[in-house]
Amino acid sequence: MALTLTVSDEVRALAPGFVHLAVEAHGLVNGPSGEAGSALLDDAARRLAARLGGRAPHEDPHMAAWREVYTAFGSKPSRTRNSAEALARRALADGGLPRINALVDLYNAISVAHLLPVGGEDLDLVRGGMRLLRATGEEPFVTAAGGEETVEHPDAGEVVWCDDEGVTCRRWNWRQGPRTRLTEETVNAVFLLEALAPMTADALEAAGAELAESLEKLSPGARVTLHPPR
């Protein structure tokens, strides 16, 4: 099935400068975190520190733009941070970035190094096309609490990524659900890189190209397609 990603008119109106880029990959080989992934994460943290020059992540113009958009759809950005800001804060803290698995470590490194939200979805677990829209509040979001599966619902008006089965990520890129996340068994995946002005399309494409190159190094023989910004 061909990959389809759509952004609703309501989201476009909320954030006219929003652009996303997709990296589609088939035939991946994932596994536990290793030395190569740790080296990428450590290098990303160094690149982030150099980029910020002593500023806090939320003081970067791109992160400030995300905070404005989060506020616009009713989310409190200091409490529910976009994924890039949350990762950046961890990268600069004493504990550093978490190690999850090879694929997640790779895209987290790209997110931190370029300071932009990046997400990964297992294409074999996505049902139908993926859509970015403003929620009605009725959509199911399957997650876990206390070790047990539970179903939540987004707030009405909240920006969410959905497929035909329900919400895959709440508050735009704040919290991914476990149903479609990348595991060590993942073979086919799509990675979403999301940008707002003042980040340029060239900068977004550079991040996407770096991600594609890293995927090809991790999984020689994988079919990696870089879809242009939209």
Side-chain angles (χ1 to χ4, degrees), residues 66-156:
W66 277 104
R67 283 193 165 215
E68 289 179 8
V69 166
Y70 267 51
T71 300
F73 68 79
S75 185
K76 294 183 178 179
S78 60
R79 186 165 60 186
T80 54
R81 296 178 176 89
N82 76 79
S83 63
E85 184 183 330
L87 273 178
R89 286 168 58 90
R90 295 191 71 171
L92 298 173
D94 290 341
L97 289 162
R99 273 59 172 167
I100 309 296
N101 60 54
L103 283 176
V104 176
D105 293 350
L106 193 159
Y107 82 71
N108 279 348
I110 297 296
S111 176
V112 169
H114 293 267
L115 201 52
L116 83 159
V118 182
E121 306 284 351
D122 189 319
L123 280 173
D124 295 323
L125 300 176
V126 172
R127 301 294 175 244
M130 296 184 64
R131 303 177 296 280
L132 185 67
L133 49 81
R134 300 197 72 173
T136 65
E138 299 298 320
E139 298 88 349
F141 177 69
V142 179
T143 185
E148 296 185 1
E149 185 177 290
T150 184
V151 177
E152 299 176 354
H153 298 276
D155 299 328

Side-chain angles (χ1 to χ4, degrees), residues 1-6 20 24 123 126 128-131 161-162 230:
M1 182 182 295
L3 171 68
T4 60
L5 300 166
T6 58
H20 71 278
E24 185 179 359
L123 280 173
V126 172
M130 296 184 64
R131 303 177 296 280
W161 277 102
C162 294
R230 295 172 47 198

